[in-house]
């Protein structure tokens, strides 16, 4: 079931006249930072109502994420346990806590136990514990309220065949009459069909394809008619909506990935599921969990046939059998540049591979549709470059890319909306990094200044070059800025000049100089005010302000939370916290679809976890308020929550959790809130401004979901909505359980 707010845009428009004046401008994220390649741990977290992902890797700036049905979103908190690999994590629905045990770090195998309560990681002190180990498996037995652990590798890489259970803060070793062979890399999960813990696969001296179940006292080997191929480090997950288990992936004979066929266990036999369309790259060591709210199998990461870590996300639809890639295309490179393609009315990103050396990922061209980046397929692709200048050629309606690589590598390309074409000029600026560039609209030329030579024996440059679409020309102005690199440059169409600011000069000295190029000569300006010396800065024309805007790093890697505007006479600081303070290698450009400035950058020095932001006075947000009512004696009252951000041109979903299972429910959505009492409970939505009254049905877990699609309609920006859900509940005097109110601010 899917709803859309497109049809009610007209109803919302009158509400705009009642809105308060625009708030202060702020940068709002339009995309989310995604996990990096790392050893993943993942579970279905009943408290979050999400797939919960933990990365314990020193390279990961963000350690914890949850899957909202659209993307991974960073969650608060950081694991208190040390960086490690091959640990095991499980989640207990009843207590809404997750448990991690063991793993291996640089010092060797570990035997510590950690619990996550939804906000904090706490080390559990136990009198006894399994021996330190890694590549073991665990599962929760909800009937006996205990965690079951089996196998793994102990000190000296010795295969282990012990069975342990964790309950009441204590680890206890069990001594069953029967047990699987000692092994590593096997998979375990609770089997709702048989009411027992199931174990599959793994390796000892051979790969195993056997199936065992644990009843709390003993292990029993089952003899299904069919079974997945023997593998190690595959992934097993309960399908909560169908009462079965799903298995995929792992390493097969020879150590390579065994493929990503999806198998399901129905309590008596394994059956291979039909899949359609493109499939993820075969892998092992991945995380895979069924998203009960979205009814999708969510797969993340792992390692491919070459042993390289992966960071892609895929979902599998049990109904259609189709895989869908959730890969953020901006994660496929490490250096990006932005430009506004005015002829096509969109922002473009040109994304470079890790380096210009052979074997690196090819450059990619991405287009922004107002909500997401998509890759454009072209017949020709520019060569890889280590430094790129992008500019829009308004005279020829083309995007220009100037690329420099290691050594004397230099190329100029243009994009006409369909394909890239390489120019063949007689002269070309030699290889350099950190050059500044902008397109001079008055004279129909790209202007390039300075840079640090990558040619042996070269140094800082004070050269000025212009490109007219066919030929480069080295200009010889009598006055020019001192040699520098990492300056910023932009064109002022009101005054018809190109402006240069900042950069590093000889001795790596940061300068705070402002220069202007009029097509034939440079002149230094002496404004009353100025930004500090900046580097890794970006300068762009804001057509709404009719000013050039610059932001970037000073000597301390901060500009004090300001960006600066140039009006042709003076610089003015505007107190807008800028994402360039959190991101390396960031770029900004005007985005014509939303009519706002767009910023894109990476969070750390490795240029990973890239994110896109927009400058807006109406940031999308949501917040629960008031109190819920019902849930019965000893039960949790239902909760209405929002998955995703209510941002224009994107989707989110209402999620009703902890309601009565398999019962009718209603979601009400109104423009205003008028709290009133009903049978001791508070109703928050307003019938007088009702927009949506949607009948839902909860599943066996007491969950109901309503996806919403927001159009990119300016009339919706700044509108506030109020939602509340009610579910039939025979255990309450009212016969209903009510959620808290939920305020939704539509915006960017």
């Amino acid at each position: 079931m899917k709803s859309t707010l497109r049809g009610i845009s007209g109803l919302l428009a009158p509400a705009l006249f009642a809105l308060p004046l625009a708030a202060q401008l702020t940068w709002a994220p339009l995309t989310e930072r995604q996990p990096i390649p790392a050893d993943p741990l993942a579970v279905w977290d009943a408290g979050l109502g999400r797939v919960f992902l933990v990365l314990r890797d020193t390279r990961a700036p963000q350690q914890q994420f949850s899957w909202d049905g659209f993307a991974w979103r960073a969650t608060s908190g950081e694991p208190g346990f040390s960086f490690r690999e091959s640990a095991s994590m499980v989640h207990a629905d009843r207590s809404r806590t997750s448990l991690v045990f063991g793993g291996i770090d640089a010092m060797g195998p570990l035997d510590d136990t950690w619990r996550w309560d939804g906000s904090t990681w706490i080390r559990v002190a136990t009198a006894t514990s399994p021996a330190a180990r890694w590549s073991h498996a665990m599962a929760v037995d909800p009937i006996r309220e205990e965690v079951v652990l089996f196998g793994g590798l102990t000190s000296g890489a010795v295969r282990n065949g012990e069975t342990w259970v964790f309950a009441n803060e204590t680890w206890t070793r069990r001594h069953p009459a029967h047990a699987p062979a000692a092994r590593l890399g096997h998979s375990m999960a609770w089997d709702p069909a048989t009411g027992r813990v199931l174990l599959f696969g793994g390796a000892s001296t051979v790969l195993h394809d056997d199936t065992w179940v644990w009843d709390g006292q003993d292990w029993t080997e089952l003899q299904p008619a069919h079974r997945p191929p023997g593998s190690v480090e595959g992934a097993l997950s309960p399908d909560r909506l169908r009462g079965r288990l799903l298995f995929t992936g792992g390493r097969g004979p020879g150590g390579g990935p065994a493929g990503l066929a999806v198998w399901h266990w129905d309590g008596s036999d394994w059956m291979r599921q039909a899949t359609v369309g493109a499939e993820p790259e075969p892998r092992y060591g991945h995380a895979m969990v069924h998203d009960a709210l979205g009814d999708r199998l969510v797969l993340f990461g792992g390692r491919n046939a070459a042993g390289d870590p992966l960071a892609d996300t895929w979902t599998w639809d049990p109904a259609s059998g189709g895989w869908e890639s959730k890969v953020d295309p901006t994660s496929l490179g490490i250096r990006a540049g932005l430009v506004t393609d005015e002829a096509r009315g969109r922002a473009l990103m040109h994304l470079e591979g890790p380096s210009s050396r052979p074997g690196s990922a090819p450059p990619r061209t991405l287009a922004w549709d107002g909500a997401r980046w998509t890759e454009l397929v072209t017949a020709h692709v520019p060569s890889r470059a280590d430094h790129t200048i992008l500019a829009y050629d308004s005279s020829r309606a083309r995007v220009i890319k100037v690329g420099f690589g290691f050594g004397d590598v230099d190329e100029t390309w243009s994009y006409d909306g369909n394909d890239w074409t390489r120019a063949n000029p007689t002269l070309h600026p030699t290889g350099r990094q950190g050059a500044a560039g902008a397109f001079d609209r008055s004279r129909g030329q790209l202007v390039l200044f300075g840079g640090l030579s990558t040619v042996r024996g070269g140094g800082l440059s004070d050269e000025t070059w212009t490109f007219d679409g066919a030929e480069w020309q080295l200009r010889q102005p009598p006055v020019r800025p001192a040699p520098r690199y990492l300056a910023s440059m932009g064109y002022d169409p009101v005054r018809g000049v190109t402006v240069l600011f900042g950069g590093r000069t000889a001795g790596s000295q940061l300068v705070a100089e402002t220069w202007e190029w009029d097509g034939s000569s440079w002149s230094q300006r002496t404004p009353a005010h100025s930004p500090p010396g900046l580097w890794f800065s970006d300068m762009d024309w804001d057509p709404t302000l009719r000013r050039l805007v610059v932001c970037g790093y000073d000597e301390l890697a901060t500009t004090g939370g300001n960006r600066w505007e140039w009006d042709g006479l003076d610089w003015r600081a505007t107190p807008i916290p800028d994402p360039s303070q959190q991101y390396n290698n960031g770029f900004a450009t005007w985005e014509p679809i939303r009519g706002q400035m767009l910023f894109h950058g990476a969070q750390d020095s490795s240029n990973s976890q890239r994110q896109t932001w927009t400058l807006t006075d109406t940031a999308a947000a949501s917040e629960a308020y008031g109190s819920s009512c019902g849930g019965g004696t000893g039960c949790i009252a239902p909760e209405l929550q929002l998955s995703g951000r209510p941002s224009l041109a994107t989707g989110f979903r209402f999620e009703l959790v902890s309601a009565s299972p398999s019962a009718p429910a209603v979601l009400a959505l109104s423009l205003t809130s008028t709290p009133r009492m009903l049978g001791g409970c508070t109703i928050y939505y307003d019938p007088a401004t009702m927009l949506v009254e949607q009948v839902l049905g909860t599943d066996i877990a007491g969950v109901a979901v309503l996806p919403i699609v927001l159009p990119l309609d300016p009339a919706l920006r700044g509108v506030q909505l109020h939602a509340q859900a009610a579910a039939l509940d025979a255990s309450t005097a009212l016969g209903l359980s009510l959620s808290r109110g939920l305020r939704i601010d539509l915006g960017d």
Side-chain angles (χ1 to χ4, degrees), residues 88-91 137-142 146-150 164 166 187-191 196-198 214:
S88 185
M89 181 168 73
V90 294
H91 182 81
M138 300 194 305
V140 172
D141 182 337
E146 59 188 20
V147 175
V148 182
L149 179 151
F150 181 83
W164 289 76
F166 179 81
S187 302
M188 289 171 55
W190 172 253
D191 178 13
R196 293 180 287 184
V197 170
L198 182 139
W214 169 258

PDB file of all heavy atoms in Angstrom, residues 88-91 137-142 146-150 164 166 187-191 196-198 214:
ATOM      1  N   SER A  88      30.092 -12.242  16.974  1.00  0.00           N
ATOM      2  CA  SER A  88      28.708 -12.628  16.708  1.00  0.00           C
ATOM      3  C   SER A  88      27.785 -11.736  17.518  1.00  0.00           C
ATOM      4  O   SER A  88      28.097 -11.383  18.664  1.00  0.00           O
ATOM      5  CB  SER A  88      28.473 -14.101  17.071  1.00  0.00           C
ATOM      6  OG  SER A  88      27.163 -14.499  16.711  1.00  0.00           O
ATOM      7  N   MET A  89      26.649 -11.336  16.909  1.00  0.00           N
ATOM      8  CA  MET A  89      25.678 -10.475  17.582  1.00  0.00           C
ATOM      9  C   MET A  89      24.274 -11.032  17.388  1.00  0.00           C
ATOM     10  O   MET A  89      23.926 -11.487  16.295  1.00  0.00           O
ATOM     11  CB  MET A  89      25.757  -9.041  17.038  1.00  0.00           C
ATOM     12  CG  MET A  89      24.784  -8.075  17.714  1.00  0.00           C
ATOM     13  SD  MET A  89      25.100  -6.318  17.345  1.00  0.00           S
ATOM     14  CE  MET A  89      24.543  -6.212  15.648  1.00  0.00           C
ATOM     15  N   VAL A  90      23.462 -10.992  18.444  1.00  0.00           N
ATOM     16  CA  VAL A  90      22.064 -11.426  18.384  1.00  0.00           C
ATOM     17  C   VAL A  90      21.206 -10.381  19.083  1.00  0.00           C
ATOM     18  O   VAL A  90      21.713  -9.528  19.812  1.00  0.00           O
ATOM     19  CB  VAL A  90      21.862 -12.802  19.058  1.00  0.00           C
ATOM     20  CG1 VAL A  90      22.580 -13.890  18.290  1.00  0.00           C
ATOM     21  CG2 VAL A  90      22.336 -12.771  20.511  1.00  0.00           C
ATOM     22  N   HIS A  91      19.885 -10.468  18.868  1.00  0.00           N
ATOM     23  CA  HIS A  91      18.948  -9.530  19.501  1.00  0.00           C
ATOM     24  C   HIS A  91      17.795 -10.302  20.122  1.00  0.00           C
ATOM     25  O   HIS A  91      17.222 -11.205  19.493  1.00  0.00           O
ATOM     26  CB  HIS A  91      18.390  -8.538  18.476  1.00  0.00           C
ATOM     27  CG  HIS A  91      17.464  -7.525  19.073  1.00  0.00           C
ATOM     28  ND1 HIS A  91      17.918  -6.393  19.718  1.00  0.00           N
ATOM     29  CD2 HIS A  91      16.103  -7.481  19.142  1.00  0.00           C
ATOM     30  CE1 HIS A  91      16.878  -5.694  20.142  1.00  0.00           C
ATOM     31  NE2 HIS A  91      15.774  -6.329  19.803  1.00  0.00           N
ATOM     32  N   ALA A 137      28.997 -18.886  16.154  1.00  0.00           N
ATOM     33  CA  ALA A 137      27.646 -18.430  15.822  1.00  0.00           C
ATOM     34  C   ALA A 137      26.780 -18.450  17.068  1.00  0.00           C
ATOM     35  O   ALA A 137      27.010 -19.251  17.990  1.00  0.00           O
ATOM     36  CB  ALA A 137      27.028 -19.305  14.730  1.00  0.00           C
ATOM     37  N   MET A 138      25.786 -17.558  17.109  1.00  0.00           N
ATOM     38  CA  MET A 138      24.860 -17.481  18.239  1.00  0.00           C
ATOM     39  C   MET A 138      23.436 -17.306  17.710  1.00  0.00           C
ATOM     40  O   MET A 138      23.224 -16.842  16.591  1.00  0.00           O
ATOM     41  CB  MET A 138      25.208 -16.308  19.156  1.00  0.00           C
ATOM     42  CG  MET A 138      26.590 -16.361  19.775  1.00  0.00           C
ATOM     43  SD  MET A 138      26.833 -15.204  21.156  1.00  0.00           S
ATOM     44  CE  MET A 138      26.399 -13.637  20.419  1.00  0.00           C
ATOM     45  N   ALA A 139      22.473 -17.655  18.550  1.00  0.00           N
ATOM     46  CA  ALA A 139      21.060 -17.439  18.241  1.00  0.00           C
ATOM     47  C   ALA A 139      20.303 -17.294  19.549  1.00  0.00           C
ATOM     48  O   ALA A 139      20.719 -17.828  20.585  1.00  0.00           O
ATOM     49  CB  ALA A 139      20.486 -18.586  17.415  1.00  0.00           C
ATOM     50  N   VAL A 140      19.173 -16.575  19.506  1.00  0.00           N
ATOM     51  CA  VAL A 140      18.328 -16.397  20.680  1.00  0.00           C
ATOM     52  C   VAL A 140      17.229 -17.451  20.684  1.00  0.00           C
ATOM     53  O   VAL A 140      16.538 -17.647  19.671  1.00  0.00           O
ATOM     54  CB  VAL A 140      17.703 -14.985  20.704  1.00  0.00           C
ATOM     55  CG1 VAL A 140      16.678 -14.867  21.826  1.00  0.00           C
ATOM     56  CG2 VAL A 140      18.783 -13.931  20.864  1.00  0.00           C
ATOM     57  N   ASP A 141      17.068 -18.140  21.810  1.00  0.00           N
ATOM     58  CA  ASP A 141      15.956 -19.068  22.028  1.00  0.00           C
ATOM     59  C   ASP A 141      14.903 -18.309  22.830  1.00  0.00           C
ATOM     60  O   ASP A 141      15.025 -18.161  24.048  1.00  0.00           O
ATOM     61  CB  ASP A 141      16.439 -20.295  22.801  1.00  0.00           C
ATOM     62  CG  ASP A 141      15.341 -21.329  23.029  1.00  0.00           C
ATOM     63  OD1 ASP A 141      14.152 -20.940  23.001  1.00  0.00           O
ATOM     64  OD2 ASP A 141      15.665 -22.503  23.257  1.00  0.00           O
ATOM     65  N   PRO A 142      13.837 -17.779  22.194  1.00  0.00           N
ATOM     66  CA  PRO A 142      12.876 -16.932  22.911  1.00  0.00           C
ATOM     67  C   PRO A 142      12.005 -17.715  23.893  1.00  0.00           C
ATOM     68  O   PRO A 142      11.477 -17.123  24.831  1.00  0.00           O
ATOM     69  CB  PRO A 142      12.043 -16.324  21.784  1.00  0.00           C
ATOM     70  CG  PRO A 142      12.135 -17.317  20.666  1.00  0.00           C
ATOM     71  CD  PRO A 142      13.496 -17.915  20.764  1.00  0.00           C
ATOM     72  N   GLU A 146      17.129 -17.542  26.376  1.00  0.00           N
ATOM     73  CA  GLU A 146      18.573 -17.687  26.503  1.00  0.00           C
ATOM     74  C   GLU A 146      19.221 -17.569  25.125  1.00  0.00           C
ATOM     75  O   GLU A 146      18.579 -17.785  24.090  1.00  0.00           O
ATOM     76  CB  GLU A 146      18.936 -19.019  27.156  1.00  0.00           C
ATOM     77  CG  GLU A 146      18.435 -20.241  26.413  1.00  0.00           C
ATOM     78  CD  GLU A 146      18.648 -21.534  27.191  1.00  0.00           C
ATOM     79  OE1 GLU A 146      18.820 -21.465  28.416  1.00  0.00           O
ATOM     80  OE2 GLU A 146      18.626 -22.610  26.567  1.00  0.00           O
ATOM     81  N   VAL A 147      20.484 -17.207  25.142  1.00  0.00           N
ATOM     82  CA  VAL A 147      21.293 -17.138  23.929  1.00  0.00           C
ATOM     83  C   VAL A 147      22.100 -18.421  23.825  1.00  0.00           C
ATOM     84  O   VAL A 147      22.728 -18.855  24.802  1.00  0.00           O
ATOM     85  CB  VAL A 147      22.235 -15.914  23.957  1.00  0.00           C
ATOM     86  CG1 VAL A 147      23.167 -15.926  22.748  1.00  0.00           C
ATOM     87  CG2 VAL A 147      21.430 -14.626  23.991  1.00  0.00           C
ATOM     88  N   VAL A 148      22.087 -19.044  22.650  1.00  0.00           N
ATOM     89  CA  VAL A 148      22.813 -20.294  22.425  1.00  0.00           C
ATOM     90  C   VAL A 148      24.039 -19.996  21.561  1.00  0.00           C
ATOM     91  O   VAL A 148      23.922 -19.322  20.527  1.00  0.00           O
ATOM     92  CB  VAL A 148      21.916 -21.334  21.727  1.00  0.00           C
ATOM     93  CG1 VAL A 148      22.670 -22.654  21.554  1.00  0.00           C
ATOM     94  CG2 VAL A 148      20.630 -21.544  22.518  1.00  0.00           C
ATOM     95  N   LEU A 149      25.201 -20.468  21.968  1.00  0.00           N
ATOM     96  CA  LEU A 149      26.455 -20.290  21.235  1.00  0.00           C
ATOM     97  C   LEU A 149      27.033 -21.653  20.900  1.00  0.00           C
ATOM     98  O   LEU A 149      27.032 -22.562  21.742  1.00  0.00           O
ATOM     99  CB  LEU A 149      27.452 -19.480  22.065  1.00  0.00           C
ATOM    100  CG  LEU A 149      28.848 -19.212  21.478  1.00  0.00           C
ATOM    101  CD1 LEU A 149      29.413 -17.902  22.020  1.00  0.00           C
ATOM    102  CD2 LEU A 149      29.841 -20.347  21.762  1.00  0.00           C
ATOM    103  N   PHE A 150      27.567 -21.770  19.672  1.00  0.00           N
ATOM    104  CA  PHE A 150      28.220 -23.021  19.289  1.00  0.00           C
ATOM    105  C   PHE A 150      29.454 -22.733  18.440  1.00  0.00           C
ATOM    106  O   PHE A 150      29.439 -21.875  17.558  1.00  0.00           O
ATOM    107  CB  PHE A 150      27.284 -23.930  18.487  1.00  0.00           C
ATOM    108  CG  PHE A 150      27.932 -25.239  18.106  1.00  0.00           C
ATOM    109  CD1 PHE A 150      27.970 -26.295  18.997  1.00  0.00           C
ATOM    110  CD2 PHE A 150      28.541 -25.395  16.868  1.00  0.00           C
ATOM    111  CE1 PHE A 150      28.588 -27.493  18.667  1.00  0.00           C
ATOM    112  CE2 PHE A 150      29.167 -26.581  16.521  1.00  0.00           C
ATOM    113  CZ  PHE A 150      29.191 -27.639  17.427  1.00  0.00           C
ATOM    114  N   TRP A 164      27.273 -23.466  24.509  1.00  0.00           N
ATOM    115  CA  TRP A 164      27.095 -22.620  25.685  1.00  0.00           C
ATOM    116  C   TRP A 164      25.756 -21.890  25.579  1.00  0.00           C
ATOM    117  O   TRP A 164      25.259 -21.637  24.479  1.00  0.00           O
ATOM    118  CB  TRP A 164      28.210 -21.576  25.778  1.00  0.00           C
ATOM    119  CG  TRP A 164      29.564 -22.122  26.136  1.00  0.00           C
ATOM    120  CD1 TRP A 164      30.422 -22.803  25.326  1.00  0.00           C
ATOM    121  CD2 TRP A 164      30.204 -22.025  27.412  1.00  0.00           C
ATOM    122  NE1 TRP A 164      31.564 -23.137  26.001  1.00  0.00           N
ATOM    123  CE2 TRP A 164      31.467 -22.668  27.293  1.00  0.00           C
ATOM    124  CE3 TRP A 164      29.862 -21.458  28.636  1.00  0.00           C
ATOM    125  CZ2 TRP A 164      32.360 -22.755  28.348  1.00  0.00           C
ATOM    126  CZ3 TRP A 164      30.748 -21.540  29.691  1.00  0.00           C
ATOM    127  CH2 TRP A 164      31.990 -22.186  29.549  1.00  0.00           C
ATOM    128  N   PHE A 166      23.608 -18.453  27.383  1.00  0.00           N
ATOM    129  CA  PHE A 166      23.708 -17.248  28.220  1.00  0.00           C
ATOM    130  C   PHE A 166      22.312 -16.881  28.691  1.00  0.00           C
ATOM    131  O   PHE A 166      21.408 -16.646  27.886  1.00  0.00           O
ATOM    132  CB  PHE A 166      24.313 -16.096  27.425  1.00  0.00           C
ATOM    133  CG  PHE A 166      24.424 -14.811  28.202  1.00  0.00           C
ATOM    134  CD1 PHE A 166      25.484 -14.609  29.080  1.00  0.00           C
ATOM    135  CD2 PHE A 166      23.473 -13.814  28.062  1.00  0.00           C
ATOM    136  CE1 PHE A 166      25.603 -13.423  29.794  1.00  0.00           C
ATOM    137  CE2 PHE A 166      23.576 -12.627  28.778  1.00  0.00           C
ATOM    138  CZ  PHE A 166      24.642 -12.434  29.641  1.00  0.00           C
ATOM    139  N   SER A 187      26.173 -20.926  10.463  1.00  0.00           N
ATOM    140  CA  SER A 187      25.095 -19.958  10.676  1.00  0.00           C
ATOM    141  C   SER A 187      24.066 -20.544  11.631  1.00  0.00           C
ATOM    142  O   SER A 187      23.763 -21.743  11.563  1.00  0.00           O
ATOM    143  CB  SER A 187      24.412 -19.595   9.351  1.00  0.00           C
ATOM    144  OG  SER A 187      25.338 -19.071   8.426  1.00  0.00           O
ATOM    145  N   MET A 188      23.521 -19.701  12.522  1.00  0.00           N
ATOM    146  CA  MET A 188      22.492 -20.133  13.469  1.00  0.00           C
ATOM    147  C   MET A 188      21.386 -19.087  13.550  1.00  0.00           C
ATOM    148  O   MET A 188      21.641 -17.892  13.412  1.00  0.00           O
ATOM    149  CB  MET A 188      23.098 -20.355  14.862  1.00  0.00           C
ATOM    150  CG  MET A 188      23.993 -21.580  14.977  1.00  0.00           C
ATOM    151  SD  MET A 188      24.903 -21.687  16.550  1.00  0.00           S
ATOM    152  CE  MET A 188      23.565 -21.594  17.750  1.00  0.00           C
ATOM    153  N   ALA A 189      20.155 -19.556  13.778  1.00  0.00           N
ATOM    154  CA  ALA A 189      19.014 -18.663  13.950  1.00  0.00           C
ATOM    155  C   ALA A 189      17.881 -19.435  14.604  1.00  0.00           C
ATOM    156  O   ALA A 189      17.835 -20.673  14.556  1.00  0.00           O
ATOM    157  CB  ALA A 189      18.555 -18.087  12.605  1.00  0.00           C
ATOM    158  N   TRP A 190      16.955 -18.716  15.212  1.00  0.00           N
ATOM    159  CA  TRP A 190      15.756 -19.321  15.781  1.00  0.00           C
ATOM    160  C   TRP A 190      14.811 -19.699  14.655  1.00  0.00           C
ATOM    161  O   TRP A 190      14.520 -18.898  13.769  1.00  0.00           O
ATOM    162  CB  TRP A 190      15.062 -18.351  16.732  1.00  0.00           C
ATOM    163  CG  TRP A 190      13.726 -18.825  17.219  1.00  0.00           C
ATOM    164  CD1 TRP A 190      12.499 -18.368  16.855  1.00  0.00           C
ATOM    165  CD2 TRP A 190      13.487 -19.875  18.163  1.00  0.00           C
ATOM    166  NE1 TRP A 190      11.508 -19.051  17.496  1.00  0.00           N
ATOM    167  CE2 TRP A 190      12.086 -19.984  18.320  1.00  0.00           C
ATOM    168  CE3 TRP A 190      14.318 -20.725  18.878  1.00  0.00           C
ATOM    169  CZ2 TRP A 190      11.506 -20.910  19.176  1.00  0.00           C
ATOM    170  CZ3 TRP A 190      13.736 -21.649  19.736  1.00  0.00           C
ATOM    171  CH2 TRP A 190      12.344 -21.735  19.875  1.00  0.00           C
ATOM    172  N   ASP A 191      14.347 -20.962  14.685  1.00  0.00           N
ATOM    173  CA  ASP A 191      13.440 -21.469  13.661  1.00  0.00           C
ATOM    174  C   ASP A 191      12.019 -21.440  14.204  1.00  0.00           C
ATOM    175  O   ASP A 191      11.648 -22.290  15.024  1.00  0.00           O
ATOM    176  CB  ASP A 191      13.833 -22.899  13.272  1.00  0.00           C
ATOM    177  CG  ASP A 191      12.882 -23.502  12.248  1.00  0.00           C
ATOM    178  OD1 ASP A 191      12.085 -22.740  11.663  1.00  0.00           O
ATOM    179  OD2 ASP A 191      12.934 -24.729  12.052  1.00  0.00           O
ATOM    180  N   ARG A 196      12.770 -24.327  17.562  1.00  0.00           N
ATOM    181  CA  ARG A 196      14.114 -24.714  18.005  1.00  0.00           C
ATOM    182  C   ARG A 196      15.151 -23.834  17.300  1.00  0.00           C
ATOM    183  O   ARG A 196      14.857 -23.196  16.284  1.00  0.00           O
ATOM    184  CB  ARG A 196      14.372 -26.193  17.687  1.00  0.00           C
ATOM    185  CG  ARG A 196      13.493 -27.145  18.499  1.00  0.00           C
ATOM    186  CD  ARG A 196      13.763 -28.605  18.169  1.00  0.00           C
ATOM    187  NE  ARG A 196      13.237 -28.995  16.853  1.00  0.00           N
ATOM    188  CZ  ARG A 196      13.279 -30.234  16.380  1.00  0.00           C
ATOM    189  NH1 ARG A 196      13.824 -31.209  17.097  1.00  0.00           N
ATOM    190  NH2 ARG A 196      12.773 -30.512  15.185  1.00  0.00           N
ATOM    191  N   VAL A 197      16.362 -23.819  17.849  1.00  0.00           N
ATOM    192  CA  VAL A 197      17.475 -23.123  17.219  1.00  0.00           C
ATOM    193  C   VAL A 197      18.040 -24.005  16.115  1.00  0.00           C
ATOM    194  O   VAL A 197      18.279 -25.203  16.332  1.00  0.00           O
ATOM    195  CB  VAL A 197      18.572 -22.773  18.242  1.00  0.00           C
ATOM    196  CG1 VAL A 197      19.832 -22.282  17.535  1.00  0.00           C
ATOM    197  CG2 VAL A 197      18.073 -21.718  19.220  1.00  0.00           C
ATOM    198  N   LEU A 198      18.248 -23.428  14.921  1.00  0.00           N
ATOM    199  CA  LEU A 198      18.754 -24.198  13.791  1.00  0.00           C
ATOM    200  C   LEU A 198      20.190 -23.776  13.476  1.00  0.00           C
ATOM    201  O   LEU A 198      20.525 -22.586  13.526  1.00  0.00           O
ATOM    202  CB  LEU A 198      17.862 -23.989  12.580  1.00  0.00           C
ATOM    203  CG  LEU A 198      18.233 -24.767  11.303  1.00  0.00           C
ATOM    204  CD1 LEU A 198      16.987 -25.324  10.616  1.00  0.00           C
ATOM    205  CD2 LEU A 198      19.009 -23.864  10.321  1.00  0.00           C
ATOM    206  N   TRP A 214      18.582 -27.406  17.949  1.00  0.00           N
ATOM    207  CA  TRP A 214      18.832 -27.460  19.394  1.00  0.00           C
ATOM    208  C   TRP A 214      17.516 -27.211  20.122  1.00  0.00           C
ATOM    209  O   TRP A 214      16.849 -26.197  19.885  1.00  0.00           O
ATOM    210  CB  TRP A 214      19.863 -26.391  19.765  1.00  0.00           C
ATOM    211  CG  TRP A 214      20.039 -26.149  21.243  1.00  0.00           C
ATOM    212  CD1 TRP A 214      19.528 -25.119  21.971  1.00  0.00           C
ATOM    213  CD2 TRP A 214      20.789 -26.947  22.156  1.00  0.00           C
ATOM    214  NE1 TRP A 214      19.911 -25.217  23.284  1.00  0.00           N
ATOM    215  CE2 TRP A 214      20.698 -26.327  23.427  1.00  0.00           C
ATOM    216  CE3 TRP A 214      21.537 -28.117  22.032  1.00  0.00           C
ATOM    217  CZ2 TRP A 214      21.318 -26.855  24.565  1.00  0.00           C
ATOM    218  CZ3 TRP A 214      22.157 -28.636  23.161  1.00  0.00           C
ATOM    219  CH2 TRP A 214      22.055 -28.015  24.406  1.00  0.00           C
TER     220      TRP A 214
END
